[in-house]
Amino acid sequence: MDAHPVPAISPARGLPIARVRDVFSPEDVEQRLRRLKAQGQEREQATLCQTYERMLERGPQRFAVKPSGIPDIEPLVEQLPNFRAVLDDIKRHVALAQDSSDSLEITPLLLLGPPGVGKTHFAQQLAELLATTMTLVPMSSMTAGWLLSGASSQWKGAKPGKVFEALVEGNYANPVIVVDEIDKASDAQYDPLGALYGLLEPQTAQRFVDEFAEVPIDASQVIWITTANDERGIPEPILNRMNVFEIAPPTRDEARRIARQLYQRLRAAHDWGRLFDEEPADDVLDRLSTLAPREMRRALMTGFGNARLAKRERIEVQDLPAASGGKTRIGFVQ
């Protein structure tokens, strides 16, 4: 399914959309739809018919984005300093695609590290950096193997999988798809990773068949990011298809920088932010640096709220949630 040059369009961050790419063949879809109608299965397979009609209505072409230059990763490193090695790897892949007609290809990534270090947040930021979209596939909540690859239309309530939805319902041929907590997938009743064996290989991914729609889809341009706490739960053949990065918790100084960046982003994103000092206090940063990155935002929102209740322009340490060894619900400190 070839990519066709089109005039460059400049979306956010100056990353041009340089090409469009067919992600399926309309002829394949029309053939499947005609067969259903000839068999008189329109009522029994109403959802499948609607899916085919939706595909034909949207058409097969999706944007394939590629940076026109090497993106500046330093602002993202400031937010997520413990991800520098991953970002350097992304830069190498982008460099290979420069000054050529090749599409951007990124070797699937495994982000390995403890909960709360910012793995999912990193994936969202990477999608924004590359001017594409992100789809999250949470393996920890799966009870069957259909979430990636879809379920047969013969089953009640069946529907397409996340890969199909990202490509057919989305606008991009190369979205970021995050398989979150891939090491938890073995707990499912059926093998939810079966589809990944082919999806992580560009040659076989070019004709990926969703079990619901049963028409080939070009998933070869998908940017795959998987996250895990423990690589021992990942089958070796899948592990071998990915570049593995161990993401350590940020150091104290890195955590302080993350907290400061987050304070400034929250302040800038809300009108009430103008009521607060431009910089957080040092002792507030010290307290926040003891938290996992995912907990910092909630703690800061609590701090902002408590400071406003006290009619202050500055968050103080006592405005933040009290440190606790257990899992407690964060709310305003009374």
Side-chain angles (χ1 to χ4, degrees):
M1 300 183 185
D2 298 331
H4 312 289
V6 297
I9 301 170
S10 295
R13 303 198 185 201
L15 299 177
I17 296 173
R19 291 175 175 266
V20 293
R21 189 180 183 94
D22 291 348
V23 297
F24 63 85
S25 166
E27 290 76 16
D28 290 341
V29 179
E30 289 170 351
Q31 183 180 16
R32 296 287 302 180
L33 185 58
R34 283 197 302 269
R35 186 182 305 172
L36 283 178
K37 291 180 177 180
Q39 294 172 345
Q41 294 184 325
E42 290 178 79
R43 178 177 296 181
E44 297 166 340
Q45 298 283 351
T47 303
L48 185 56
C49 286
Q50 291 169 5
T51 298
Y52 291 149
E53 289 166 353
R54 173 67 174 164
M55 293 176 73
L56 295 173
E57 177 186 347
R58 294 213 68 212
Q61 293 189 333
R62 301 293 180 268
F63 290 120
V65 294
K66 184 173 74 170
S68 59
I70 309 297
D72 180 11
I73 66 170
E74 290 308 314
L76 196 48
V77 171
E78 279 293 311
Q79 292 183 39
L80 297 164
N82 47 336
F83 285 83
R84 177 177 281 281
V86 192
L87 288 165
D88 285 340
D89 188 59
I90 298 296
K91 283 182 67 174
R92 285 189 285 270
H93 284 85
V94 172
L96 287 173
Q98 297 299 298
D99 304 318
S100 74
S101 60
D102 293 341
S103 299
L104 174 62
E105 295 182 16
I106 296 178
T107 303
L109 304 172
L110 169 60
L111 307 180
L112 192 64
V117 295
K119 300 187 293 290
T120 306
H121 176 65
F122 166 80
Q124 179 64 64
Q125 295 299 306
L126 178 62
E128 292 183 15
L129 185 73
L130 299 177
T132 187
T133 53
M134 187 192 91
T135 294
L136 183 67
V137 184
M139 285 296 180
S140 60
S141 62
M142 291 185 63
T143 56
W146 57 264
L147 198 53
L148 275 171
S149 59
S152 170
S153 61
Q154 304 299 319
W155 291 90
K156 183 178 180 180
K159 60 180 181 179
K162 293 289 188 178
V163 177
F164 180 95
E165 289 180 356
L167 293 168
V168 173
E169 294 297 335
N171 295 318
Y172 297 95
N174 59 340
V176 172
I177 297 184
V178 180
V179 183
D180 197 33
E181 296 188 303
I182 190 173
D183 50 331
K184 305 295 194 302
S186 59
D187 297 337
Q189 182 178 357
Y190 304 102
D191 181 12
L193 300 182
L196 273 184
Y197 291 93
L199 284 167
L200 295 181
E201 295 283 358
Q203 293 80 8
T204 51
Q206 195 166 10
R207 291 188 64 81
F208 165 71
V209 177
D210 182 272
E211 291 186 26
F212 179 82
E214 295 186 318
V215 290
I217 300 291
D218 183 2
S220 62
Q221 302 298 300
V222 169
I223 299 168
W224 289 98
I225 298 179
T226 65
T227 75
N229 300 331
D230 188 346
E231 65 182 297
R232 290 174 296 180
I234 305 172
E236 193 69 24
I238 289 180
L239 201 60
N240 290 338
R241 286 168 165 81
M242 301 184 289
N243 284 347
V244 181
F245 293 89
E246 294 193 19
I247 309 299
T251 65
R252 181 177 179 277
D253 286 343
E254 289 174 342
R256 280 174 57 88
R257 292 206 304 273
I258 292 171
R260 180 176 176 272
Q261 287 270 336
L262 185 54
Y263 175 96
Q264 293 176 336
R265 290 204 309 274
L266 288 172
R267 182 178 176 274
H270 298 88
D271 182 57
W272 48 254
R274 61 186 169 79
L275 304 173
F276 289 93
D277 290 349
E278 292 185 7
E279 293 287 341
D282 283 341
D283 57 351
V284 169
L285 291 180
D286 287 339
R287 171 66 69 83
L288 291 170
S289 70
T290 66
L291 302 176
R294 74 162 62 163
E295 298 171 351
M296 288 182 186
R297 186 185 189 280
R298 290 179 293 171
L300 273 170
M301 290 300 291
T302 296
F304 279 124
N306 281 330
R308 284 302 297 150
L309 286 175
K311 302 189 184 307
R312 279 188 271 101
E313 299 175 351
R314 189 176 188 84
I315 295 179
E316 297 181 357
V317 171
Q318 62 264 28
D319 296 324
L320 299 173
S324 172
K327 294 182 179 179
T328 58
R329 179 174 297 175
I330 294 178
F332 289 134
V333 177
Q334 299 300 321

